[in-house]
Amino acid sequence: MGRSPCCAEDADVKKGPWTPEEDQKLVDCINEHGHGNWRALPKLAGLNRCGKSCRLRWTNYLRPDIKRGKFTEEEEGEIIKLHAVLGNKWSRIATHLPGRTDNEIKNYWNTQIRKKLLNMGIDPQAQAQAHTHKPRTDLNHLLNLSHLLCASHPWDTAFKLAKTQLLHNLLKIINSNLASQNPYSFQGFLDGTSTLSGKQLAPTAPKPLNITENAGATATSQNPWAYNFGGDLNSEGKLGISNRSLSTSAVVQTENPLPELVSESLHQTSSPINHMDKMADAATYEAWEKLIMEDDDDCSCWKEFLDLSSST
DNA sequence: AAGTGCTTCAACCGCTGCTAA
DNA sequence: TTTAGCAGCGGTTGAAGCACT
């Protein structure tokens, strides 16, 4: 299947930067005829360009509804939030940011946000590649996350990034623990039988976020997460996270529900958990615990996640 | 002023997914 | 069911502008 590049047959087709005259021709043509057929459009407009180039020029630059100028704090936060859910689906992200193009967002991510991630010690590759998410789980980094959460204000970009990565780490651990005998199991975390720093964890377990209400699912009154994370292993011993276990939460109703986190952990289902993993898990729980304690009366961050996921 | 390195972003390339025949 | 044509997407490139020495 497939086909040769659209302009391969047109060796003399013009490439490179567009001139104002070419822009005008393209705009005039689209205003008059619309852009139903990009391949035919260059001829119609009298342009020596390939249709692909015309489409790109229009969608990324000439479209009348394009917003120019720097990204605002709100837009940046939105991008981070969306990227956490959608990965590198720039066009999908762009649909949530009116006036911004996928190319612009992609460039902004690669030049600005990526830099911030690096400065914060967050693995940019994990953030940038939707299908190879590998949140850092080394202890130093987890402590970093914890410190970031404590040091930054909830509306800071740093805070949002740290929360995002923390959630990823947590989901990763949940997935692997459900299929293993990790003494730091998430179930233990939930029911309070696992301890961190000598403390029982149950009192600080997450509050219900009404994530099950909309989906019509039920959660135990004592432990709203029990249903959602309660372990839904399929016949292969793998976590059926996409259907029942987490499907009641909007988190995994997304098109791209962190698949790499799931698959990665599933590969480790039978492998022994080494000491460093346990320490990393414990550090993640600790960071989580801090976040929950500080976020006790405001679950807005998780609501944001859920709202976002359910809207995609 | 000139040279060098870095950053930004418009544009290109190659691939994927959808649709119609 | 297969195949060809097309639009759209995401990764990458390279020219232009900027900062620094």
Side-chain angles (χ1 to χ4, degrees), chain A residues 265-296:
Chain A
S265 63
L266 291 175
H267 291 140
Q268 301 166 352
T269 53
S270 59
S271 63
I273 294 160
N274 65 34
H275 179 66
M276 287 309 290
D277 285 342
K278 289 177 197 170
M279 296 292 283
D281 290 3
T284 296
Y285 288 155
E286 192 158 2
W288 168 268
E289 192 178 7
K290 275 184 188 171
L291 176 62
I292 292 301
M293 287 173 82
E294 286 170 12
D295 216 18
D296 198 31

mmCIF file of all heavy atoms in Angstrom, chain A residues 265-296:
data_model
loop_
_atom_site.group_PDB
_atom_site.id
_atom_site.type_symbol
_atom_site.label_atom_id
_atom_site.label_comp_id
_atom_site.label_asym_id
_atom_site.label_seq_id
_atom_site.Cartn_x
_atom_site.Cartn_y
_atom_site.Cartn_z
ATOM 1 N N SER A 265 5.301 -2.454 32.447
ATOM 2 C CA SER A 265 5.230 -3.157 33.712
ATOM 3 C C SER A 265 4.807 -4.602 33.521
ATOM 4 O O SER A 265 5.205 -5.472 34.261
ATOM 5 C CB SER A 265 4.238 -2.446 34.630
ATOM 6 O OG SER A 265 2.959 -2.476 34.068
ATOM 7 N N LEU A 266 4.000 -4.830 32.504
ATOM 8 C CA LEU A 266 3.523 -6.192 32.291
ATOM 9 C C LEU A 266 4.660 -7.134 31.936
ATOM 10 O O LEU A 266 4.607 -8.314 32.232
ATOM 11 C CB LEU A 266 2.481 -6.196 31.162
ATOM 12 C CG LEU A 266 1.176 -5.502 31.521
ATOM 13 C CD1 LEU A 266 0.263 -5.443 30.319
ATOM 14 C CD2 LEU A 266 0.500 -6.177 32.692
ATOM 15 N N HIS A 267 5.665 -6.583 31.342
ATOM 16 C CA HIS A 267 6.795 -7.423 30.983
ATOM 17 C C HIS A 267 7.567 -7.867 32.220
ATOM 18 O O HIS A 267 8.405 -8.732 32.151
ATOM 19 C CB HIS A 267 7.734 -6.670 30.035
ATOM 20 C CG HIS A 267 7.117 -6.452 28.691
ATOM 21 N ND1 HIS A 267 7.274 -5.282 27.992
ATOM 22 C CD2 HIS A 267 6.314 -7.230 27.946
ATOM 23 C CE1 HIS A 267 6.614 -5.364 26.856
ATOM 24 N NE2 HIS A 267 6.026 -6.533 26.809
ATOM 25 N N GLN A 268 7.276 -7.240 33.312
ATOM 26 C CA GLN A 268 8.057 -7.542 34.501
ATOM 27 C C GLN A 268 7.251 -8.346 35.503
ATOM 28 O O GLN A 268 7.621 -8.453 36.664
ATOM 29 C CB GLN A 268 8.487 -6.230 35.166
ATOM 30 C CG GLN A 268 9.325 -5.355 34.248
ATOM 31 C CD GLN A 268 9.448 -3.954 34.796
ATOM 32 O OE1 GLN A 268 8.800 -3.594 35.772
ATOM 33 N NE2 GLN A 268 10.279 -3.152 34.167
ATOM 34 N N THR A 269 6.156 -8.911 35.083
ATOM 35 C CA THR A 269 5.239 -9.504 36.038
ATOM 36 C C THR A 269 5.856 -10.611 36.849
ATOM 37 O O THR A 269 5.513 -10.818 37.999
ATOM 38 C CB THR A 269 3.999 -10.050 35.325
ATOM 39 O OG1 THR A 269 4.454 -10.908 34.283
ATOM 40 C CG2 THR A 269 3.175 -8.930 34.749
ATOM 41 N N SER A 270 6.768 -11.351 36.276
ATOM 42 C CA SER A 270 7.288 -12.477 37.021
ATOM 43 C C SER A 270 8.686 -12.232 37.560
ATOM 44 O O SER A 270 9.252 -13.070 38.225
ATOM 45 C CB SER A 270 7.304 -13.718 36.114
ATOM 46 O OG SER A 270 8.094 -13.452 34.992
ATOM 47 N N SER A 271 9.223 -11.086 37.248
ATOM 48 C CA SER A 271 10.575 -10.848 37.693
ATOM 49 C C SER A 271 10.598 -10.366 39.141
ATOM 50 O O SER A 271 9.715 -9.660 39.581
ATOM 51 C CB SER A 271 11.243 -9.810 36.791
ATOM 52 O OG SER A 271 10.560 -8.593 36.884
ATOM 53 N N PRO A 272 11.601 -10.782 39.882
ATOM 54 C CA PRO A 272 11.682 -10.335 41.269
ATOM 55 C C PRO A 272 11.897 -8.830 41.340
ATOM 56 O O PRO A 272 12.540 -8.247 40.481
ATOM 57 C CB PRO A 272 12.890 -11.104 41.802
ATOM 58 C CG PRO A 272 13.684 -11.459 40.610
ATOM 59 C CD PRO A 272 12.726 -11.597 39.476
ATOM 60 N N ILE A 273 11.371 -8.251 42.369
ATOM 61 C CA ILE A 273 11.514 -6.811 42.536
ATOM 62 C C ILE A 273 12.767 -6.546 43.349
ATOM 63 O O ILE A 273 12.917 -7.023 44.463
ATOM 64 C CB ILE A 273 10.292 -6.236 43.236
ATOM 65 C CG1 ILE A 273 9.102 -6.410 42.307
ATOM 66 C CG2 ILE A 273 10.492 -4.799 43.616
ATOM 67 C CD1 ILE A 273 7.784 -6.327 43.025
ATOM 68 N N ASN A 274 13.663 -5.812 42.782
ATOM 69 C CA ASN A 274 14.908 -5.597 43.480
ATOM 70 C C ASN A 274 14.790 -4.473 44.496
ATOM 71 O O ASN A 274 13.800 -3.769 44.582
ATOM 72 C CB ASN A 274 16.052 -5.352 42.488
ATOM 73 C CG ASN A 274 15.849 -4.064 41.719
ATOM 74 O OD1 ASN A 274 15.314 -3.084 42.249
ATOM 75 N ND2 ASN A 274 16.241 -4.078 40.464
ATOM 76 N N HIS A 275 15.828 -4.328 45.234
ATOM 77 C CA HIS A 275 15.810 -3.384 46.339
ATOM 78 C C HIS A 275 15.580 -1.960 45.857
ATOM 79 O O HIS A 275 14.813 -1.203 46.439
ATOM 80 C CB HIS A 275 17.141 -3.486 47.093
ATOM 81 C CG HIS A 275 17.233 -2.540 48.246
ATOM 82 N ND1 HIS A 275 16.417 -2.648 49.368
ATOM 83 C CD2 HIS A 275 18.013 -1.453 48.446
ATOM 84 C CE1 HIS A 275 16.726 -1.677 50.221
ATOM 85 N NE2 HIS A 275 17.683 -0.937 49.680
ATOM 86 N N MET A 276 16.255 -1.594 44.780
ATOM 87 C CA MET A 276 16.136 -0.217 44.295
ATOM 88 C C MET A 276 14.718 0.072 43.835
ATOM 89 O O MET A 276 14.205 1.178 44.010
ATOM 90 C CB MET A 276 17.120 0.018 43.134
ATOM 91 C CG MET A 276 18.554 0.113 43.566
ATOM 92 S SD MET A 276 18.806 1.290 44.923
ATOM 93 C CE MET A 276 18.528 2.831 44.092
ATOM 94 N N ASP A 277 14.070 -0.923 43.231
ATOM 95 C CA ASP A 277 12.685 -0.732 42.812
ATOM 96 C C ASP A 277 11.801 -0.436 44.005
ATOM 97 O O ASP A 277 10.941 0.429 43.962
ATOM 98 C CB ASP A 277 12.168 -1.980 42.083
ATOM 99 C CG ASP A 277 12.740 -2.078 40.678
ATOM 100 O OD1 ASP A 277 13.236 -1.044 40.176
ATOM 101 O OD2 ASP A 277 12.704 -3.180 40.120
ATOM 102 N N LYS A 278 12.030 -1.195 45.076
ATOM 103 C CA LYS A 278 11.225 -1.005 46.280
ATOM 104 C C LYS A 278 11.429 0.396 46.828
ATOM 105 O O LYS A 278 10.488 1.063 47.234
ATOM 106 C CB LYS A 278 11.611 -2.033 47.335
ATOM 107 C CG LYS A 278 11.169 -3.446 46.999
ATOM 108 C CD LYS A 278 11.674 -4.376 48.072
ATOM 109 C CE LYS A 278 11.657 -5.824 47.649
ATOM 110 N NZ LYS A 278 12.363 -6.673 48.592
ATOM 111 N N MET A 279 12.699 0.801 46.843
ATOM 112 C CA MET A 279 12.995 2.132 47.357
ATOM 113 C C MET A 279 12.329 3.200 46.495
ATOM 114 O O MET A 279 11.791 4.188 46.993
ATOM 115 C CB MET A 279 14.518 2.359 47.381
ATOM 116 C CG MET A 279 15.245 1.441 48.314
ATOM 117 S SD MET A 279 14.855 1.784 50.051
ATOM 118 C CE MET A 279 15.846 3.235 50.305
ATOM 119 N N ALA A 280 12.381 2.973 45.182
ATOM 120 C CA ALA A 280 11.779 3.940 44.262
ATOM 121 C C ALA A 280 10.265 3.990 44.474
ATOM 122 O O ALA A 280 9.664 5.063 44.495
ATOM 123 C CB ALA A 280 12.095 3.563 42.816
ATOM 124 N N ASP A 281 9.670 2.803 44.642
ATOM 125 C CA ASP A 281 8.229 2.744 44.894
ATOM 126 C C ASP A 281 7.886 3.488 46.169
ATOM 127 O O ASP A 281 6.926 4.258 46.229
ATOM 128 C CB ASP A 281 7.768 1.290 45.015
ATOM 129 C CG ASP A 281 7.821 0.580 43.670
ATOM 130 O OD1 ASP A 281 8.260 1.213 42.682
ATOM 131 O OD2 ASP A 281 7.437 -0.596 43.633
ATOM 132 N N ALA A 282 8.696 3.233 47.187
ATOM 133 C CA ALA A 282 8.436 3.882 48.467
ATOM 134 C C ALA A 282 8.535 5.399 48.332
ATOM 135 O O ALA A 282 7.729 6.145 48.881
ATOM 136 C CB ALA A 282 9.425 3.379 49.512
ATOM 137 N N ALA A 283 9.530 5.832 47.567
ATOM 138 C CA ALA A 283 9.706 7.275 47.378
ATOM 139 C C ALA A 283 8.522 7.870 46.623
ATOM 140 O O ALA A 283 8.070 8.967 46.928
ATOM 141 C CB ALA A 283 11.002 7.541 46.612
ATOM 142 N N THR A 284 8.037 7.118 45.654
ATOM 143 C CA THR A 284 6.866 7.592 44.903
ATOM 144 C C THR A 284 5.665 7.719 45.822
ATOM 145 O O THR A 284 4.936 8.712 45.801
ATOM 146 C CB THR A 284 6.534 6.627 43.756
ATOM 147 O OG1 THR A 284 7.626 6.619 42.840
ATOM 148 C CG2 THR A 284 5.291 7.075 43.005
ATOM 149 N N TYR A 285 5.451 6.693 46.644
ATOM 150 C CA TYR A 285 4.331 6.728 47.579
ATOM 151 C C TYR A 285 4.451 7.931 48.520
ATOM 152 O O TYR A 285 3.485 8.604 48.839
ATOM 153 C CB TYR A 285 4.272 5.451 48.414
ATOM 154 C CG TYR A 285 3.813 4.239 47.649
ATOM 155 C CD1 TYR A 285 4.173 2.961 48.052
ATOM 156 C CD2 TYR A 285 2.991 4.361 46.520
ATOM 157 C CE1 TYR A 285 3.743 1.840 47.367
ATOM 158 C CE2 TYR A 285 2.570 3.242 45.826
ATOM 159 C CZ TYR A 285 2.948 1.980 46.251
ATOM 160 O OH TYR A 285 2.529 0.877 45.587
ATOM 161 N N GLU A 286 5.696 8.145 48.928
ATOM 162 C CA GLU A 286 5.909 9.231 49.874
ATOM 163 C C GLU A 286 5.570 10.576 49.232
ATOM 164 O O GLU A 286 4.925 11.426 49.833
ATOM 165 C CB GLU A 286 7.365 9.224 50.354
ATOM 166 C CG GLU A 286 7.576 10.129 51.549
ATOM 167 C CD GLU A 286 8.818 9.722 52.347
ATOM 168 O OE1 GLU A 286 9.513 8.772 51.947
ATOM 169 O OE2 GLU A 286 9.071 10.353 53.363
ATOM 170 N N ALA A 287 6.025 10.738 47.983
ATOM 171 C CA ALA A 287 5.724 11.979 47.263
ATOM 172 C C ALA A 287 4.217 12.124 47.079
ATOM 173 O O ALA A 287 3.645 13.189 47.233
ATOM 174 C CB ALA A 287 6.429 11.976 45.911
ATOM 175 N N TRP A 288 3.591 10.995 46.762
ATOM 176 C CA TRP A 288 2.137 10.978 46.592
ATOM 177 C C TRP A 288 1.443 11.386 47.882
ATOM 178 O O TRP A 288 0.527 12.205 47.894
ATOM 179 C CB TRP A 288 1.699 9.576 46.178
ATOM 180 C CG TRP A 288 0.222 9.356 46.240
ATOM 181 C CD1 TRP A 288 -0.496 8.863 47.282
ATOM 182 C CD2 TRP A 288 -0.719 9.637 45.217
ATOM 183 N NE1 TRP A 288 -1.826 8.809 46.974
ATOM 184 C CE2 TRP A 288 -1.988 9.280 45.709
ATOM 185 C CE3 TRP A 288 -0.620 10.156 43.923
ATOM 186 C CZ2 TRP A 288 -3.149 9.422 44.956
ATOM 187 C CZ3 TRP A 288 -1.779 10.288 43.182
ATOM 188 C CH2 TRP A 288 -3.013 9.931 43.692
ATOM 189 N N GLU A 289 1.935 10.798 48.954
ATOM 190 C CA GLU A 289 1.338 11.055 50.255
ATOM 191 C C GLU A 289 1.399 12.546 50.588
ATOM 192 O O GLU A 289 0.431 13.150 51.024
ATOM 193 C CB GLU A 289 2.095 10.248 51.303
ATOM 194 C CG GLU A 289 1.413 10.186 52.647
ATOM 195 C CD GLU A 289 2.205 9.322 53.613
ATOM 196 O OE1 GLU A 289 3.318 8.909 53.261
ATOM 197 O OE2 GLU A 289 1.707 9.077 54.711
ATOM 198 N N LYS A 290 2.564 13.125 50.304
ATOM 199 C CA LYS A 290 2.727 14.556 50.568
ATOM 200 C C LYS A 290 1.738 15.366 49.746
ATOM 201 O O LYS A 290 1.122 16.307 50.234
ATOM 202 C CB LYS A 290 4.153 14.997 50.206
ATOM 203 C CG LYS A 290 5.150 14.767 51.308
ATOM 204 C CD LYS A 290 6.502 15.314 50.891
ATOM 205 C CE LYS A 290 7.587 14.944 51.867
ATOM 206 N NZ LYS A 290 8.919 15.277 51.393
ATOM 207 N N LEU A 291 1.616 14.953 48.499
ATOM 208 C CA LEU A 291 0.730 15.694 47.600
ATOM 209 C C LEU A 291 -0.703 15.622 48.087
ATOM 210 O O LEU A 291 -1.421 16.617 48.113
ATOM 211 C CB LEU A 291 0.836 15.118 46.181
ATOM 212 C CG LEU A 291 -0.096 15.732 45.151
ATOM 213 C CD1 LEU A 291 0.224 17.226 44.986
ATOM 214 C CD2 LEU A 291 0.044 15.035 43.812
ATOM 215 N N ILE A 292 -1.111 14.427 48.473
ATOM 216 C CA ILE A 292 -2.480 14.247 48.931
ATOM 217 C C ILE A 292 -2.729 15.067 50.191
ATOM 218 O O ILE A 292 -3.754 15.712 50.351
ATOM 219 C CB ILE A 292 -2.757 12.753 49.213
ATOM 220 C CG1 ILE A 292 -2.739 11.985 47.902
ATOM 221 C CG2 ILE A 292 -4.072 12.562 49.913
ATOM 222 C CD1 ILE A 292 -3.749 12.456 46.877
ATOM 223 N N MET A 293 -1.737 15.041 51.091
ATOM 224 C CA MET A 293 -1.909 15.782 52.336
ATOM 225 C C MET A 293 -2.061 17.267 52.070
ATOM 226 O O MET A 293 -2.876 17.947 52.654
ATOM 227 C CB MET A 293 -0.715 15.532 53.264
ATOM 228 C CG MET A 293 -0.746 14.139 53.864
ATOM 229 S SD MET A 293 0.740 13.790 54.790
ATOM 230 C CE MET A 293 0.361 14.573 56.326
ATOM 231 N N GLU A 294 -1.243 17.766 51.125
ATOM 232 C CA GLU A 294 -1.305 19.185 50.838
ATOM 233 C C GLU A 294 -2.499 19.531 49.981
ATOM 234 O O GLU A 294 -2.974 20.648 49.957
ATOM 235 C CB GLU A 294 -0.020 19.634 50.150
ATOM 236 C CG GLU A 294 1.127 19.689 51.136
ATOM 237 C CD GLU A 294 2.457 19.891 50.437
ATOM 238 O OE1 GLU A 294 2.444 20.207 49.248
ATOM 239 O OE2 GLU A 294 3.482 19.721 51.100
ATOM 240 N N ASP A 295 -2.984 18.550 49.263
ATOM 241 C CA ASP A 295 -4.078 18.770 48.342
ATOM 242 C C ASP A 295 -5.389 18.293 48.952
ATOM 243 O O ASP A 295 -6.360 18.071 48.262
ATOM 244 C CB ASP A 295 -3.805 17.975 47.051
ATOM 245 C CG ASP A 295 -4.281 18.739 45.833
ATOM 246 O OD1 ASP A 295 -4.484 19.954 45.964
ATOM 247 O OD2 ASP A 295 -4.454 18.103 44.786
ATOM 248 N N ASP A 296 -5.368 18.163 50.276
ATOM 249 C CA ASP A 296 -6.447 17.459 50.942
ATOM 250 C C ASP A 296 -7.829 17.994 50.605
ATOM 251 O O ASP A 296 -8.760 17.246 50.371
ATOM 252 C CB ASP A 296 -6.232 17.542 52.455
ATOM 253 C CG ASP A 296 -7.037 16.490 53.180
ATOM 254 O OD1 ASP A 296 -7.247 15.420 52.590
ATOM 255 O OD2 ASP A 296 -7.459 16.762 54.310
#
